[in-house]
């Protein structure tokens, strides 16, 4: 009998890649989606258009992380073997504008799922999408699983609370619950309001003569950027072991936004300094420090390591946007 997985945030970047991974491994995949007046699920279109997967192995359920009663019903209905909690308000900048909503969905939403797991489905394995943002302005670099939390945004504060809650339920109730402390991971499916996708789209449009300028915020911010499909494989590996734990998933390299811009423009043979304008409105009220992840534990215990390096990631994102314009 195939395993059943429940994914929150299934329509997002990570959710779509994880769905493809699990379907490829023979899972029956159930996804939680919010009911809205418009339907935007283009990341899952290829799967829904495949008659071999849509009717049999992939099922979407309407629900909301803010509705604990609905989540309880969903747990009883699906009875999953594995739960991948990827859903939430994922944009850091927006969390400064909507801090209460960000905390309610990211922190309280995680608690609702943990309560469902404790009360109705004790045997299921639980993955929580934590974030490198919990380290904020770390005192040491690179960061690992023992680095102290110093969040500097409402998003990071909510993620830190959810992280601690997941650990608490694991230790208090014996749940198989893992925190994946993932550093920035990008792909052509990244949301359009994230800086890497914004740069890739802008560079492609400029290369095709459809745009002249890209407006960006702080170019000096450095990130540890990896490739999303490889990171969702790490999520799956966390739930296949015999012991639940927390893991940093990262490349161990840091590059600035300026580095990303320069590499993207170089790929299309253009001088980036002729096409970038700094927009002070895009600066965050509070910025993180040097974020570099030490994934030694994941390499040792999960046999996981990144394969796509920075330059290759930039090129594949730009190429995807060029192809889309064609």
């Amino acid at each position: 009998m195939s395993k059943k997985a429940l994914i929150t945030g299934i329509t997002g970047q990570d959710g779509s890649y994880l769905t493809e991974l699990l379907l490829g491994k023979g899972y029956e995949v159930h996804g939680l989606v919010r009911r809205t007046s418009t339907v935007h699920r283009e990341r899952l279109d290829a799967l829904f258009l495949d008659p071999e997967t849509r009717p049999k192995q992939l099922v979407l359920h309407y629900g909301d992380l803010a509705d604990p009663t609905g989540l309880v019903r969903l747990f009883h209905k699906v009875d999953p073997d594995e739960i991948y909690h990827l859903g939430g308000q994922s944009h850091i900048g927006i969390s400064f504008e909507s801090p209460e909503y960000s905390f309610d969905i990211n922190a309280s939403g995680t608690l609702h799922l943990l309560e469902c797991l404790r009360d109705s489905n004790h045997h299921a394995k639980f993955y929580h999408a934590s974030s490198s943002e919990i380290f904020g302005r770390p005192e040491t670099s690179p960061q690992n699983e023992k680095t102290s939390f110093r969040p500097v945004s409402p998003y990071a504060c909510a993620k830190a609370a959810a992280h601690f809650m997941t650990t608490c339920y694991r230790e208090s109730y014996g749940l198989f619950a893992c925190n994946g402390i993932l550093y920035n991971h990008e792909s052509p499916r990244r949301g359009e309001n994230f800086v890497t996708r914004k740069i890739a789209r802008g560079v492609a449009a400029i290369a095709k003569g459809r745009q002249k300028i890209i407006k960006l915020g702080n170019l000096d911010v450095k990130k540890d950027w990896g490739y999303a499909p490889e990171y969702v494989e790490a999520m799956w590996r966390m739930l296949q072991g015999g012991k639940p734990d927390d893991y940093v998933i990262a490349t161990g390299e840091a590059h600035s936004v300026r580095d990303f811009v320069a590499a993207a423009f170089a790929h299309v043979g253009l001088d980036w300094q002729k096409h970038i304008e700094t927009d002070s409105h895009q600066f965050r009220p509070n910025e993180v420090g040097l974020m570099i992840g030490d994934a030694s534990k994941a390499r040792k215990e999960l046999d996981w390591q990144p394969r796509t390096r920075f330059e290759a990631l930039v090129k594949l994102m730009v190429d995807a946007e060029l192809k889309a314009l064609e």
Side-chain angles (χ1 to χ4, degrees):
M1 182 179 293
S2 62
K3 288 184 179 180
K4 286 192 286 186
L6 173 62
I7 303 174
T8 71
I10 192 171
T11 59
Q13 169 189 254
D14 292 3
S16 65
Y17 284 123
L18 180 61
T19 298
E20 292 175 2
L21 176 72
L22 296 181
L23 289 174
K25 293 181 180 294
Y27 278 67
E28 178 183 317
V29 178
H30 296 257
L32 179 68
V33 295
R34 287 180 298 166
R35 186 184 292 276
T36 60
S37 58
T38 58
V39 178
H40 297 287
R41 297 173 188 160
E42 58 271 12
R43 295 184 180 97
L44 296 176
D45 280 349
L47 296 174
F48 271 93
L49 295 174
D50 185 347
E52 294 301 316
T53 59
R54 174 65 177 93
K56 302 174 184 177
Q57 297 170 276
L58 178 58
V59 183
L60 300 184
H61 305 266
Y62 285 118
D64 197 300
L65 292 171
D67 177 18
T69 302
L71 293 175
V72 170
R73 294 195 188 101
L74 180 59
F75 267 63
H76 283 295
K77 181 178 182 179
V78 176
D79 190 26
D81 300 294
E82 297 173 2
I83 302 153
Y84 295 89
H85 177 33
L86 315 181
Q89 196 296 99
S90 60
H91 197 278
I92 299 165
I94 291 174
S95 76
F96 284 100
E97 301 298 325
S98 303
E100 292 172 312
Y101 173 76
S102 298
F103 197 89
D104 285 344
I105 294 300
N106 292 349
S108 298
T110 303
L111 177 57
H112 296 330
L113 289 170
L114 288 167
E115 276 292 279
C116 289
L117 182 58
R118 178 167 74 102
D119 291 340
S120 64
N121 194 1
H122 196 87
H123 73 275
K125 295 181 177 181
F126 180 81
Y127 170 84
H128 167 242
S130 186
S131 169
S132 61
E133 292 289 324
I134 61 179
F135 296 132
R137 293 201 187 94
E139 297 178 348
T140 59
S141 191
Q143 299 86 45
N144 59 29
E145 294 79 8
K146 296 182 180 180
T147 301
S148 299
F149 296 0
R150 299 181 66 191
V152 296
S153 69
Y155 168 85
C157 290
K159 281 294 185 181
H163 182 112
F164 280 130
M165 195 63 70
T166 300
T167 302
C168 174
Y169 272 61
R170 178 175 70 215
E171 296 177 351
S172 299
Y173 304 114
L175 302 182
F176 195 110
C178 300
N179 284 301
I181 309 172
L182 273 58
Y183 281 64
N184 289 66
H185 44 290
E186 317 299 316
S187 78
R189 299 182 189 177
R190 192 57 144 151
E192 294 175 2
N193 56 350
F194 286 83
V195 67
T196 52
R197 181 78 188 282
K198 182 178 180 180
I199 294 168
R201 291 188 76 203
V203 168
I206 290 170
K208 294 292 185 180
R210 303 185 184 185
Q211 184 174 324
K212 294 183 178 180
I213 296 295
I214 306 174
K215 292 185 178 181
L216 298 173
N218 191 345
L219 299 180
D220 295 321
V221 173
K222 289 188 174 182
K223 299 288 185 180
D224 184 329
W225 275 307
Y227 186 37
E230 297 169 3
Y231 282 46
V232 301
E233 180 184 346
M235 300 175 188
W236 175 77
R237 287 176 179 264
M238 288 181 208
L239 299 195
Q240 308 315 304
K243 177 177 174 289
D245 211 339
D246 305 329
Y247 295 92
V248 164
I249 303 299
T251 69
E253 299 178 3
H255 298 273
S256 67
V257 174
R258 181 180 282 101
D259 293 336
F260 199 103
V261 167
F265 275 100
H267 184 50
V268 296
L270 294 174
D271 181 357
W272 70 269
Q273 296 184 72
K274 297 180 179 179
H275 301 283
I276 295 296
E277 289 185 2
T278 301
D279 181 4
S280 60
H281 293 94
Q282 296 188 40
F283 280 64
R284 293 174 184 167
N286 208 355
E287 195 56 81
V288 298
L290 180 58
M291 304 292 284
I292 307 176
D294 176 6
S296 299
K297 183 177 177 182
R299 286 196 296 271
K300 180 180 179 181
E301 298 184 10
L302 303 179
D303 192 25
W304 179 90
Q305 59 182 351
R307 299 181 296 276
T308 303
R309 311 315 297 185
F310 176 74
E311 290 77 11
L313 172 63
V314 175
K315 290 178 181 179
L316 71 86
M317 290 188 68
V318 174
D319 285 343
E321 297 298 336
L322 289 169
K323 183 177 180 180
L325 289 179
E326 292 173 355

